Amino acid sequence: LGFSIDDKQLKRAGLYYWHLLDLEMHNSLEDFLEAYGQRPLFFASTKATVYYDEVTYPEDSMIVFGRETSGLPASIHEKYADQRIKLPMMSHPDLRSLNLSNAANIILFEALRQNGFKGLKSNRPEIQF
């Protein structure tokens, strides 16, 4: 994972939702791909040529992010080159990518938006402006 899920700060950040999490851990990326490789997969990478908002995310899509420090392994870039997506970023040698949690949220909410925020919208009436 690159971080500990036992960390009290992590649990505090998700305090209200931790009990609702369906956490599934895999020993390796290969194990994950063996289990879910038949589903629509997207790989977030600064090396991608397609932007995250230019693809259609089927309802059962999975979005894979690499380590914050090193990104995805070379094997993913080779095998899944046409399934990579990226965020628009300014190009400058002194700039780094967004942190992982921000990048994940941006891409996840685009996929959720495309699927009508299924299971997330409440039954409250819409507010008229």
Side-chain angles (χ1 to χ4, degrees):
L1 293 175
F3 55 88
S4 169
I5 61 169
D6 295 327
D7 182 88
K8 73 177 188 175
Q9 296 299 322
L10 173 69
K11 287 187 178 177
R12 183 177 181 276
L15 183 64
Y16 300 111
Y17 306 101
W18 197 255
H19 68 286
L20 299 172
L21 181 64
D22 184 12
L23 181 64
E24 186 175 309
M25 295 178 67
H26 300 269
N27 290 326
S28 67
L29 181 57
E30 291 75 23
D31 287 350
F32 166 79
L33 292 172
E34 185 175 323
Y36 293 103
Q38 76 285 356
R39 292 179 60 179
L41 298 173
F42 297 90
F43 297 87
S45 171
T46 58
K47 296 176 174 70
T49 57
V50 175
Y51 290 104
Y52 78 101
D53 63 335
E54 297 174 335
V55 300
T56 300
Y57 300 93
E59 191 173 307
D60 60 344
S61 296
M62 297 188 119
I63 305 164
V64 179
F65 296 82
R67 291 181 177 267
E68 193 162 20
T69 54
S70 58
L72 295 165
S75 60
I76 294 296
H77 290 288
E78 294 165 11
K79 186 172 182 179
Y80 298 97
D82 60 336
Q83 292 166 254
R84 296 179 303 173
I85 54 175
K86 71 178 182 176
L87 292 166
M89 300 281 300
M90 287 178 54
S91 180
H92 189 279
D94 294 335
L95 291 178
R96 295 184 52 193
S97 302
L98 292 174
N99 75 29
L100 184 56
S101 64
N102 287 333
N105 278 301
I106 291 168
I107 296 172
L108 171 63
F109 268 78
E110 173 59 17
L112 289 169
R113 184 196 67 77
Q114 286 185 19
N115 286 279
F117 295 104
K118 185 176 179 182
L120 297 179
K121 288 187 174 178
S122 71
N123 293 325
R124 292 183 295 169
E126 295 291 323
I127 298 173
Q128 299 294 319
F129 290 98

